């Protein structure tokens, strides 16, 4: 279900959540394990300019987090499971979109342009938050996916654009206050940097997901928005 004659699946964890690609036929909330969402990717083409780069979201993998003390300190500061013991302690809300085969190439080309400035294409596993409507519409396609032995959720291998820590636009780690000051002042061809953050936060609030220990909350994102508002 990643990229074949049935079409493609694309994972969004930033602006794709509230500004989806065209031609999608299914949108399913998903839980991403083993990554932390951080606004540590500079933006010179969407939410900032080359002279004054903004900040946009990327995913930091567990392996990178535990290998650098500054990363680990920041993640533990906003994690409900601090100190984190393993990749399962990192939980991020995202959304997957299904693009049918007749539009797959068009959408891929569009996303390759949209997700420039340091982003590259990767594959990650996500746990799908399906409902009865999804089960009815996707039928056998969903039934073919394995269930996770702990969560019981369907597990999907999907494509995703990530700004890795070694790309030229990566600026992290920053404190929330440092990032907030940049976001509060930055504008680009796609609009204000504040709008990007606020719309993402609003979309996530409207899409509450539940894990074993309760509702999933992105404390980093909440703190970042609160800090940006102080500079507005």
């Amino acid at each position: 279900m990643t990229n074949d004659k049935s079409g493609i699946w694309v994972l969004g964890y930033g602006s794709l959540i509230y500004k989806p690609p065209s031609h999608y036929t299914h949108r399913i909330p998903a839980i991403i394990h083993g990554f932390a969402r951080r606004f540590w990717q500079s933006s010179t083409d969407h939410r900032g300019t080359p002279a004054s780069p903004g900040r946009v979201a990327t995913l930091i993998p567990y392996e990178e987090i535990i290998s650098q003390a500054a990363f680990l300190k920041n993640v533990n500061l906003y994690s409900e499971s601090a100190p984190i013991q393993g990749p399962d302690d990192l939980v991020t809300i995202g959304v997957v979109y299904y693009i049918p085969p007749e539009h797959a190439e068009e959408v891929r080309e569009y996303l390759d342009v949209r997700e420039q400035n340091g982003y590259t294409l990767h594959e990650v596993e996500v746990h799908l938050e399906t409902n009865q409507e999804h089960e009815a519409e996707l039928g056998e396609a969903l039934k073919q996916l394995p269930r996770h032995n702990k969560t019981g959720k369907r597990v999907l291998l999907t494509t995703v654009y990530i700004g890795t820590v070694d790309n030229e636009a990566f600026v992290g780690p920053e404190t929330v206050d440092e990032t907030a000051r940049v976001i509060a002042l930055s504008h680009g061809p796609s609009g204000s940097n504040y709008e990007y953050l606020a719309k993402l936060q609003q979309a996530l609030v409207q899409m509450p997901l539940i894990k074993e220990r309760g509702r999933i909350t992105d404390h980093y994102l909440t703190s970042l928005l609160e800090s940006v508002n102080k500079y507005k």
Side-chain angles (χ1 to χ4, degrees):
M1 292 179 73
T2 302
N3 187 354
D4 56 22
K5 294 181 180 179
S6 299
I8 59 173
W9 287 91
V10 178
L11 170 65
Y13 57 89
S15 63
L16 279 174
I17 291 181
Y18 65 85
K19 188 179 179 182
S22 59
H23 303 302
Y24 75 89
T25 58
H26 297 89
R27 179 183 188 272
I28 304 177
I31 297 175
I32 312 161
H33 287 275
F35 292 85
R37 176 171 38 222
R38 289 295 183 270
F39 273 64
W40 292 350
Q41 184 78 359
S42 67
S43 176
T44 61
D45 57 348
H46 284 298
R47 301 293 174 167
T49 65
S52 182
R55 295 289 185 270
V56 288
T58 189
L59 293 177
I60 314 297
Y62 172 78
E63 292 77 11
E64 293 289 348
I65 291 169
I66 62 172
S67 70
Q68 300 195 41
F71 287 18
L72 185 59
K73 180 180 179 180
N74 182 281
V75 170
N76 276 329
L77 187 62
Y78 300 101
S79 173
E80 292 182 344
S81 303
I84 61 171
Q85 302 295 322
D88 287 345
D89 289 334
L90 300 177
V91 180
T92 301
I93 299 174
V95 171
V96 291
Y97 298 97
Y98 177 69
I99 315 297
E102 62 269 24
H103 296 294
E105 183 176 356
E106 175 189 348
V107 171
R108 174 69 74 217
E109 291 176 353
Y110 161 77
L111 290 174
D112 284 344
V113 173
R114 174 172 165 174
E115 305 294 334
Q116 294 185 85
N117 202 189
Y119 288 92
T120 48
L121 195 60
H122 302 265
E123 289 187 336
V124 300
E125 284 189 348
V126 297
H127 296 192
L128 300 180
E129 288 286 313
T130 57
N131 55 32
Q132 291 182 346
E133 182 178 348
H134 299 139
E135 298 284 350
E137 292 178 347
L138 290 168
E140 289 300 319
L142 280 181
K143 292 179 181 179
Q144 292 175 11
L145 296 176
R147 288 189 181 274
H148 191 268
N149 59 356
K150 290 185 179 179
T151 68
K153 305 295 184 183
R154 298 288 184 183
V155 178
L156 171 71
L157 182 64
T158 178
T159 56
V160 61
Y161 290 85
I162 298 174
T164 59
V165 299
D166 57 357
N167 86 88
E168 61 183 11
F170 187 76
V171 297
E174 293 181 320
T175 67
V176 158
D177 191 64
E178 289 171 332
T179 307
R181 279 182 286 177
V182 173
I183 292 175
L185 299 174
S186 296
H187 291 75
S190 296
S192 74
N193 208 168
Y194 176 81
E195 177 189 49
Y196 175 108
L197 171 61
K199 284 189 173 181
L200 173 57
Q201 171 71 353
Q202 182 182 32
L204 291 174
V205 168
Q206 294 173 348
M207 188 181 63
L209 298 186
I210 305 298
K211 62 177 180 180
E212 294 78 9
R213 295 184 295 275
R215 175 172 172 168
I216 299 173
T217 301
D218 191 323
H219 298 290
Y220 167 82
L221 207 62
T222 300
S223 297
L224 181 57
L225 184 58
E226 290 174 352
S227 295
V228 174
N229 283 331
K230 295 177 182 178
Y231 293 101
K232 297 296 289 181

